[in-house]
Amino acid sequence: MYILNDVCYAGEMREGIRVTEAKPLRGGMMLVSFSTGEKRLFDTTLLQGSAFEPLKDEKVFSNPVLFHGVITWNNGEIDIAPEAVYQNSYAYEEMAI
């Protein structure tokens, strides 16, 4: 855990990491691209708390907006730190067909 600008974040600090693209997939999964050049899979169904309940609505989930490298939904009412997305996601490698 670390604190930056009076905000407490989980995990280790990754200086300057940002989300550059967030593509909703089926079942609450997202394919997320980071400023590191990595693509990772993130499962939004694991997010806990009443703040994330609206993501169960497909209409809300399927319309993410990036705001300064942060994934937001529902006109900014829901967001998640890019560090948390990175830490709780899995490496993804595209397969050549």
Side-chain angles (χ1 to χ4, degrees):
M1 177 171 47
Y2 65 95
I3 298 174
L4 179 64
N5 298 327
D6 295 326
V7 177
C8 183
Y9 296 91
E12 296 179 31
M13 185 171 178
R14 290 190 60 102
E15 195 68 38
I17 194 167
R18 298 184 294 28
V19 173
T20 58
E21 183 179 12
K23 180 180 178 184
L25 305 172
R26 286 188 258 174
M29 296 296 289
M30 297 192 86
L31 180 57
V32 182
S33 299
F34 292 90
S35 56
T36 60
E38 297 171 84
K39 287 188 178 185
R40 298 176 67 85
L41 289 172
F42 179 65
D43 186 352
T44 64
T45 65
L46 300 178
L47 296 172
Q48 297 185 2
S50 60
F52 298 109
E53 284 295 312
L55 293 179
K56 292 180 180 177
D57 180 341
E58 186 67 26
K59 187 175 178 181
V60 173
F61 168 73
S62 64
N63 289 295
V65 174
L66 293 182
F67 182 74
H68 296 288
V70 176
I71 304 171
T72 69
W73 294 269
N74 225 18
N75 294 320
E77 292 179 13
I78 306 168
D79 64 35
I80 184 164
E83 300 87 355
V85 175
Y86 186 89
Q87 182 179 3
N88 294 293
S89 60
Y90 304 93
Y92 173 82
E93 292 185 28
E94 296 183 57
M95 296 178 65
I97 297 178

